[in-house]
């Protein structure tokens, strides 16, 4: 039996196959709970397999301190927390969970957009605080989505799924990516490729779906925000550091954009205090993939990858390294 370490509790249905065949240890490693390098080393030092989370710092130091480690299965699509070269040098397989959370994240993106555009959090507070006295003609007027332009930054799986949903709401779709999408993807999403400057200047809603890398870090900064319409909304379900939160707070306070909805944060789980003070901001605790179906399948994907490595299979599903 191999020792498998999981750094956060997962849906049991997804990891049942691991428990039947191996020794599984579940920890709670994250910010403020031993999720630093030392805490991770202490938990995983004897592990042959590690199922990790996006906030686990799998640095070269951590990887070198786990001499028995054969596979890292990341419970996420992103993997910028893992030193892939250090894993490759050690011959450690690294996998992730691509594709599985596309629909859940696209649905949640639209949930955030609708909540922000129709001022739902403000309306809910209005009712709960006992201020609803009668129907008012000018109360909490929002923005309709029909005939508005949605600008998608990153037309990958999730971005394309968001674009398809936008069509059902009667929106026009433009997009920008580092590399132009396949023409078939463009046709299915009815999305027109534009420069980043044009996207910012013409979009009524800017929705972020790009990976986090050196090029995308603070992609939405003061300069980018200044190019947006004063009536525009910003949605981020990608990665927190894509947005300069201090610049966003300043833009919102100054009325340079109309609102923002965020599911991820620059220094997660810390949220910029300025965001907490503003009404035209919708904030969620990283919930885009939070459906029973998606989170269970993500656990199953990690389990399948771990078992393939431990069983010595030649083809490893969802492999990065």
């Amino acid at each position: 039996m191999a020792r498998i370490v999981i750094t956060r509790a997962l849906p049991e249905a997804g990891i049942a196959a691991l428990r039947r065949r191996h020794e599984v240890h579940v920890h709670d490693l994250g910010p403020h709970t031993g999720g630093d390098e030392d805490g991770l080393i202490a938990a995983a030092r004897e592990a042959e397999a590690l199922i990790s989370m996006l906030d686990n710092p799998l640095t070269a130091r951590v990887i070198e301190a786990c001499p028995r480690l054969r596979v890292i299965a990341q419970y996420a699509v992103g993997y910028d927390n893992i030193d892939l070269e250090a894993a490759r040098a050690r011959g450690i397989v690294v996998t992730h969970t691509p594709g599985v959370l596309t629909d859940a994240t696209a649905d949640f993106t639209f949930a955030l957009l609708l909540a922000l555009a129709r001022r739902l959090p403000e309306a809910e507070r209005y009712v709960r605080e006992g201020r609803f006295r009668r129907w008012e003609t000018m109360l909490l007027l929002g923005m309709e989505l029909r005939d508005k332009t949605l600008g998608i930054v990153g037309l990958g799986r999730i971005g394309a799924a968001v674009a398809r949903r936008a069509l059902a709401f009667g929106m026009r779709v433009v997009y920008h990516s580092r590399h132009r999408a396949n023409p078939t993807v463009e046709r299915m999403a009815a999305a027109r490729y534009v420069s980043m400057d044009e996207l910012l200047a013409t979009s009524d809603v800017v929705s972020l779906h790009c990976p986090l890398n050196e090029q995308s870090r603070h992609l939405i900064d003061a300069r980018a925000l200044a190019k947006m319409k004063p009536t525009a909304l910003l949605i981020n379900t990608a990665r927190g550091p894509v947005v300069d939160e201090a610049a966003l707070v300043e833009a919102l306070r100054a009325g340079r954009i109309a609102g923002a909805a965020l599911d991820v944060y620059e220094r997660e789980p810390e949220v910029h205090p300025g965001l907490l003070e503003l009404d035209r901001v919708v904030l969620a605790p990283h919930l885009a993939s939070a459906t029973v179906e998606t989170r269970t399948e993500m656990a199953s994907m990690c389990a399948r990858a771990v078992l393939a490595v431990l069983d010595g299979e030649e083809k490893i599903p969802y492999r990065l390294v």
Side-chain angles (χ1 to χ4, degrees):
M1 294 178 67
R3 183 183 181 89
I4 300 170
V5 168
I6 305 175
T7 66
R8 199 78 48 84
L10 299 182
E12 282 296 322
I15 60 173
L18 296 179
R19 290 195 184 278
R20 285 194 294 269
R21 298 179 52 191
H22 296 286
E23 178 187 335
V24 176
H25 297 265
V26 178
H27 296 263
D28 182 15
L29 300 180
H32 316 302
T33 56
D36 57 7
E37 290 185 22
D38 290 337
L40 196 51
I41 290 169
R45 191 187 305 277
E46 301 300 321
E48 293 181 52
L50 176 66
I51 297 180
S52 57
M53 308 297 137
L54 201 53
D55 57 2
N56 297 144
L58 281 158
T59 62
R61 174 174 173 258
V62 171
I63 289 170
E64 287 303 315
C66 300
R68 300 180 62 191
L69 197 58
R70 297 168 57 189
V71 54
I72 299 169
Q74 175 94 326
Y75 187 77
V77 177
Y79 46 87
D80 55 274
N81 61 309
I82 304 173
D83 189 327
L84 297 182
E85 289 307 312
R88 185 178 286 110
R90 277 274 316 278
I92 297 170
V93 172
V94 180
T95 70
H96 64 151
T97 59
V100 64
L101 47 68
T102 297
D103 286 324
T105 302
D107 287 349
F108 196 75
T109 298
F110 254 86
L112 289 178
L113 172 52
L114 288 166
L116 181 61
R118 297 303 302 271
R119 305 178 68 175
L120 187 58
E122 294 174 82
E124 207 243 5
R125 287 195 297 271
Y126 186 85
V127 173
R128 286 183 181 275
E129 291 169 2
R131 292 186 285 156
F132 182 33
R133 295 287 184 265
R134 64 176 187 175
W135 179 81
E136 296 285 357
T137 57
M138 303 299 291
L139 176 64
L140 293 170
L141 300 185
M143 181 181 82
E144 289 189 14
L145 300 186
R146 184 172 182 80
D147 294 327
K148 298 301 191 298
T149 297
L150 172 65
I152 293 177
V153 181
L155 196 72
R157 291 188 186 96
I158 296 171
V162 170
R164 292 193 297 272
R165 285 157 174 77
L167 299 179
F169 284 85
M171 301 185 80
R172 296 179 295 271
V173 179
V174 298
Y175 82 95
H176 181 79
S177 297
R178 287 181 64 191
H179 304 289
R180 187 165 180 171
N182 183 292
T184 301
V185 174
E186 288 187 345
R187 283 196 303 273
M188 291 180 65
R192 180 170 63 89
Y193 180 79
V194 297
S195 69
M196 187 65 180
D197 283 350
E198 182 178 345
L199 183 149
L200 292 170
T202 61
S203 296
D204 299 293
V205 179
V206 174
S207 190
L208 305 177
H209 302 285
C210 54
L212 177 63
N213 50 45
E214 287 310 308
Q215 290 72 41
S216 66
R217 187 177 295 275
H218 280 194
L219 178 68
I220 305 301
D221 57 7
R223 177 178 173 276
L225 290 161
K227 293 180 179 180
M228 293 173 63
K229 295 180 179 182
T231 55
L233 307 177
L234 177 69
I235 315 293
N236 188 11
T237 56
R239 298 296 305 280
V242 173
V243 176
D244 180 340
E245 287 183 4
L248 175 60
V249 169
E250 178 58 30
L252 288 164
R253 285 174 173 164
R256 286 193 286 274
I257 68 170
L262 309 176
D263 186 44
V264 288
Y265 304 92
E266 190 173 356
R267 286 172 288 275
E268 193 169 315
E270 177 187 338
V271 179
H272 192 293
L275 294 170
L276 299 172
E277 299 167 359
L278 296 166
D279 282 337
R280 295 302 301 276
V281 175
V282 177
L283 304 172
H286 206 146
L287 290 179
S289 66
T291 67
V292 172
E293 297 86 350
T294 293
R295 293 284 175 87
T296 300
E297 179 56 20
M298 288 170 68
S300 297
M301 291 170 76
C302 290
R304 287 194 287 270
V306 166
L307 289 174
V309 172
L310 296 180
D311 290 346
E313 295 180 11
E314 184 175 343
K315 185 174 177 59
I316 309 300
Y318 328 116
R319 185 170 187 169
L320 290 165
V321 172

